[in-house]
Amino acid sequence: MDNGYLVIVLHLILSVIAGGVIGLERTYHGRPAGFRTHTLVCAASTLLMLLVVFHKKMIPGMSMDLVRIDPTRMAQGIMTGIGFLGAGVIMKERLTIRGLTTAASIWMTAAIGIVIGLGFYFAAMAAIIVALVTLSLFRWIERVLPSFQYAGLSISTMSTDPMPEEKLGHLLEKHKINGVNTSYQLEEGGKVFRYQMVIRTRNVDAFRRLADTLRQMQEVREFSITPTGD
């Protein structure tokens, strides 16, 4: 077998391994873009960059003086296409946006596929380690660090007997929760009045205690507390 073919197979095998390793981490955490998605993204990026590496074999007999190959333009095209795929995994649920980390991991996987396609194996291996450390170890660091936890809060009451905003403010303060970006809505033909806001606290258990309190309040018709995630 031609050594060129062996190199192509080696590049693709390494890209499948690299994409699969990163994708497994996403699959383990229940993300829709997981093992297969990341594997295909990395392998496709490598395959396209192989067109640049082996362009002489693609057009045998043609004078290379007439051909100008710019690997950066191929890389730019790949990353532009990956932008559309990354946007597809970002979802907005009311006040919560999910999928940003998965979109970033897809972008990183594409970049790894590009450098594997060009034969920069050390850079690819280093990037895999960086990606896995960021997705796993940094997740633990985020949980340990005393940082704010955010959630979207929605509360609906009957418009004939709405919960005063001052009472809602005191309720959040009692649970050591701050509320920002409050919006107000009338629904069901003016029968239901709804508060929507972003809430934050340094203790994620405060959301559970707030839910227990809201569940026991007579004037609360419906409510939802949706923590933000990656």
Side-chain angles (χ1 to χ4, degrees):
M1 182 183 288
D2 191 334
N3 287 338
Y5 294 142
L6 290 175
V7 172
I8 291 173
V9 172
L10 175 63
H11 281 60
L12 290 174
I13 290 176
L14 289 176
S15 66
V16 167
I17 294 173
V21 168
I22 297 174
L24 282 175
E25 193 280 338
R26 294 284 84 192
T27 297
Y28 176 77
H29 290 97
R31 302 301 184 243
F35 179 67
R36 291 184 298 171
T37 301
H38 284 73
T39 301
L40 289 173
V41 165
C42 195
S45 300
T46 297
L47 182 61
L48 291 174
M49 292 309 297
L50 287 173
L51 297 178
V52 177
V53 175
F54 293 93
H55 64 277
K56 293 182 180 180
K57 292 189 176 183
M58 293 173 53
I59 42 179
M62 181 177 289
S63 174
M64 287 299 103
D65 294 335
L66 303 177
V67 180
R68 295 292 182 267
I69 299 297
D70 184 1
T72 61
R73 296 190 66 181
M74 177 64 80
Q76 289 171 359
I78 294 172
M79 300 311 286
T80 299
I82 292 301
F84 290 98
L85 183 60
V89 302
I90 300 175
M91 297 171 289
K92 186 175 186 300
E93 302 173 359
R94 295 184 180 178
L95 300 177
T96 301
I97 298 177
R98 298 180 181 274
L100 291 173
T101 302
T102 300
S105 69
I106 291 175
W107 197 56
M108 181 67 164
T109 303
I112 292 172
I114 289 172
V115 296
I116 289 177
L118 291 173
F120 296 144
Y121 300 130
F122 177 79
M125 295 303 106
I128 292 172
I129 294 173
V130 169
L132 292 177
V133 168
T134 302
L135 291 171
S136 56
L137 179 61
F138 282 22
R139 179 190 296 272
W140 177 81
I141 293 175
E142 284 183 336
R143 292 174 179 173
V144 172
L145 285 177
S147 59
F148 279 111
Q149 304 292 326
Y150 286 82
L153 173 64
S154 176
I155 299 176
S156 63
T157 62
M158 299 304 296
S159 58
T160 55
D161 184 26
M163 177 190 297
E165 188 172 1
E166 293 79 7
K167 182 176 181 179
L168 177 58
H170 291 314
L171 180 64
L172 295 177
E173 185 178 351
K174 176 183 177 181
H175 290 82
K176 298 182 179 180
I177 296 175
N178 296 323
V180 295
N181 300 331
T182 305
S183 63
Y184 315 89
Q185 292 177 281
L186 272 179
E187 301 176 345
E188 299 183 16
K191 297 179 181 179
V192 176
F193 181 76
R194 182 183 299 275
Y195 291 107
Q196 282 189 312
M197 66 182 68
V198 177
I199 56 177
R200 69 177 187 178
T201 181
R202 292 190 181 275
N203 182 6
V204 70
D205 192 53
F207 294 153
R208 180 191 59 79
R209 295 197 300 268
L210 176 62
D212 290 339
T213 301
L214 291 174
R215 189 171 63 246
Q216 300 172 10
M217 297 179 66
Q218 296 292 334
E219 62 266 46
V220 175
R221 186 171 180 267
E222 292 179 351
F223 76 90
S224 67
I225 301 174
T226 309
T228 58
D230 59 0

